[in-house]
Amino acid sequence: PFVWRVEWALKLKGIAYDYIEEDILNKSALLLRLNPAHQKVPVLVHGGRVICESFLILEYIDETWKQSPLLPQDPYDRAMARFWASVAEGQLLKNAWIALISEGEEKERAIEFATEVLGHFEGVIEGKAFFGGEGIGYLDLAIGWISHSLPVYDEVGSMKILDPAKFPAMVAWTGRFVEHPAIKENLPPRDKLVVYFRNKRSQIMASKSHA
């Protein structure tokens, strides 16, 4: 999801780029050289300069290429977009992942936390087409993984975090988001995501049982 949001931003702004796939389980010497501090993707290289961390890359892209602005012009709205992006990253994504790879009380507690956070987003998006207003903006890109990954988490983890009955506005937003041409044409195949997360869950659950 961290790489997706960068690709989506580049597509929305019509910026040509070269994409280099990285095996995060077998990191290349190039990645280790470009991002020695965190050794993670995504990494954007522009004009010989290296930018790491997806949220920082989004802001760099937005400030470098002014067309189709991602962040709101109003300082308060910009601050709120950054705030909700950090909430989604630190609380929703974290707890959805814990719910996916756990069972019993730990799983139920993580689901409860994740749905509580999703409730806040339901209130923010209600009455809007996108978090960015009429078009996709910074916050939409920041939490775009919800539209494609969270339903997969739900399926693989036999749970229901993104419940249409509880969060109709969020579910409607996910539909609009994934149907946008810049997004739709740059989504990984769902079946591959299911296989990937099913394998990850099995590996982690197996390691827990042997701990």
Side-chain angles (χ1 to χ4, degrees):
F2 313 107
V3 176
W4 301 345
R5 58 178 62 133
V6 172
E7 278 207 279
W8 293 336
L10 293 169
K11 287 289 185 181
L12 282 170
K13 286 180 174 281
I15 302 162
Y17 62 93
D18 293 321
Y19 175 75
I20 301 175
E21 185 80 24
E22 182 70 31
D23 181 356
I24 58 175
L25 299 179
N26 184 27
K27 297 172 183 176
S28 68
L30 177 63
L31 175 62
L32 300 181
R33 177 170 60 82
L34 293 176
N35 189 5
H38 293 131
Q39 302 181 1
K40 294 178 181 179
V41 292
V43 175
L44 178 71
V45 182
H46 177 236
R49 295 178 294 185
V50 180
I51 305 96
C52 304
E53 298 297 308
S54 60
F55 286 162
L56 298 179
I57 294 173
L58 285 185
E59 296 207 26
Y60 177 85
I61 290 171
D62 204 29
E63 291 169 6
T64 303
W65 292 277
K66 303 297 185 181
Q67 69 270 28
S68 305
L70 301 176
L71 277 161
Q73 297 303 303
D74 180 78
Y76 175 80
D77 291 340
R78 275 203 305 276
M80 288 298 97
R82 293 182 179 117
F83 169 76
W84 287 115
S86 69
V87 168
E89 204 83 344
Q91 297 182 35
L92 181 55
L93 180 57
K94 175 185 175 182
N95 282 291
W97 176 253
I98 292 172
L100 174 65
I101 60 167
S102 60
E103 292 291 354
E105 195 174 306
E106 182 183 14
K107 185 185 191 78
E108 292 306 314
R109 190 166 56 247
I111 291 172
E112 184 179 339
F113 284 143
T115 52
E116 183 180 337
V117 176
L118 206 51
H120 296 311
F121 284 92
E122 178 76 5
V124 175
I125 192 60
E126 202 165 15
K128 299 178 185 175
F130 296 100
F131 288 94
E134 290 303 310
I136 290 176
Y138 174 89
L139 183 53
D140 297 278
L141 298 179
I143 67 170
W145 63 271
I146 293 173
S147 65
H148 199 54
S149 289
L150 194 51
V152 173
Y153 280 27
D154 279 344
E155 178 182 335
V156 174
S158 299
M159 55 193 186
K160 198 68 176 175
I161 294 175
L162 189 60
D163 188 341
K166 292 181 180 177
F167 310 115
M170 278 299 295
V171 170
W173 166 79
T174 64
R176 288 189 294 272
F177 184 78
V178 296
E179 283 303 314
H180 190 287
I183 309 301
K184 188 175 184 178
E185 295 165 10
N186 295 277
L187 286 173
R190 191 181 191 280
D191 58 339
K192 289 189 176 181
L193 278 184
V194 170
V195 171
Y196 174 79
F197 285 117
R198 188 167 282 147
N199 289 340
K200 287 291 289 183
R201 185 179 190 278
S202 297
Q203 291 167 6
I204 293 169
M205 295 298 287
S207 68
K208 284 183 177 182
S209 66
H210 291 105

